[in-house]
Amino acid sequence: MEETRIGRLLLTGAAGGLGQVLRRTLKPMAEVLRLSDVHPLGDAQPHEELQVCDLSDKQAVDALVQGCGAVVHMGGVSVERPFDEILEANIKGVFHLYEAARRHQVRRIVFASSNHAVGFYRQSDRLDARSPTRPDGYYGLSKVYGEQMASFYYDRYGIETVSIRIGTSVAEPLDRRALHTWLSFGDLTELIRCGLFTPDVGHTVVFGMSDNKEVWWDNRYAAHLGFVPADSSEPFRARIEAQPAPAADDPVRVYQGGVFTARGPFEDAN
Ligand code: 15L
């Protein structure tokens, strides 16, 4: 019979925007939800364990992972930032996580990758998981690195990962780009559930989007996950299209990664 519940599930980044949602929605998937973040997490609720942890601290991450059957890795910097910040939280952080997973025999990780791994594709391009990556900044580069880390740890140590290239996961889509990229909280939760419990995923890359009408991404190579999104950005279209349209050469209209493609440079002031 297929597994539907994990003994102890680790959720990193639990104080973040999506982490706070998942703290609630992942609870039925585990006996105990271990929550971590570099920021405070409030009081522990029933079936929760709280552990403040800086992902750049190798020993702290090792202790964090010990005793967990699976990990949902939402932790790290979630926007474009100077390289040194990304280096600590995202690049060293994902290395520390996979090393800890290897040492403590964790068999499954769901990795919060991002559409910014392919953000410099144009909005007229159509992609699938085998399209070459095209990161739109240091943040996007760190997500490509995380996906490659997952690939290596599967090939070398058999640790399975589902890397979700999350689109725009917010309560409601707010702009034209999000009509394509929106991932409702319910669909994010369902996709994570598929990522945790589908057998034999190896390293699977899946684009995290709801059942939106016009999409840039094709999930044919993640069909084995059986993910069926329940929501769509379509009911929000009329309200969004009533807003003034950005100029034709505005990055939010040209590139899949939108404003992320125009961040930086960060180094000139140093
Ligand atoms: C992301 O990866 C970010 O974490 C989030 O803040 C959004 O900007 C999202 O992508 C997006 O592209 O809409």
Side-chain angles (χ1 to χ4, degrees), residues 71-248:
V71 181
V72 176
H73 184 46
M74 305 297 292
V77 174
S78 65
V79 290
E80 180 61 347
R81 296 292 300 162
F83 181 73
D84 287 343
E85 287 179 38
I86 302 279
L87 174 65
E88 293 302 320
N90 294 24
I91 296 195
K92 290 185 187 172
V94 82
F95 165 60
H96 296 160
L97 181 84
Y98 275 87
E99 261 308 281
R102 178 187 67 76
R103 288 164 57 88
H104 298 296
Q105 285 96 41
V106 174
R107 305 316 304 163
R108 181 66 62 95
I109 295 176
V110 173
F111 170 56
S113 183
S114 169
N115 73 90
H116 296 287
V118 290
F120 254 124
Y121 279 100
R122 292 187 166 255
Q123 294 183 4
S124 51
D125 292 326
R126 296 293 171 264
L127 316 182
D128 60 41
R130 297 187 186 168
S131 305
T133 53
R134 214 160 166 186
D136 59 21
Y138 304 126
Y139 168 69
L141 277 164
S142 77
K143 294 302 181 183
V144 173
Y145 180 81
E147 291 182 4
Q148 293 302 314
M149 183 72 73
S151 171
F152 167 61
Y153 271 77
Y154 174 63
D155 288 335
R156 179 66 181 84
Y157 302 112
I159 298 171
E160 294 192 298
T161 297
V162 173
S163 292
I164 305 176
R165 287 182 182 163
I166 299 174
T168 304
S169 196
V170 290
E172 292 183 1
L174 294 175
D175 55 29
R176 284 172 165 75
R177 175 176 167 272
L179 288 173
H180 307 266
T181 61
W182 188 55
L183 174 66
S184 71
F185 295 151
D187 286 340
L188 170 65
T189 301
E190 172 58 10
L191 187 46
I192 291 175
R193 192 192 65 74
C194 295
L196 286 173
F197 298 112
T198 305
D200 305 325
V201 294
H203 176 225
T204 296
V205 173
V206 60
F207 289 91
M209 59 189 161
S210 285
D211 186 23
N212 305 329
K213 190 170 163 200
E214 294 166 7
V215 292
W216 303 325
W217 311 318
D218 179 338
N219 269 333
R220 76 179 71 193
Y221 297 114
H224 53 281
L225 294 180
F227 169 56
V228 181
D231 297 312
S232 163
S233 60
E234 213 44 31
F236 304 91
R237 179 178 294 278
R239 196 178 72 204
I240 288 171
E241 290 187 344
Q243 300 166 8

Side-chain angles (χ1 to χ4, degrees), residues 255-267:
Y255 297 110
Q256 296 192 2
V259 290
F260 278 54
T261 63
R263 297 277 187 248
F266 295 101
E267 302 298 318

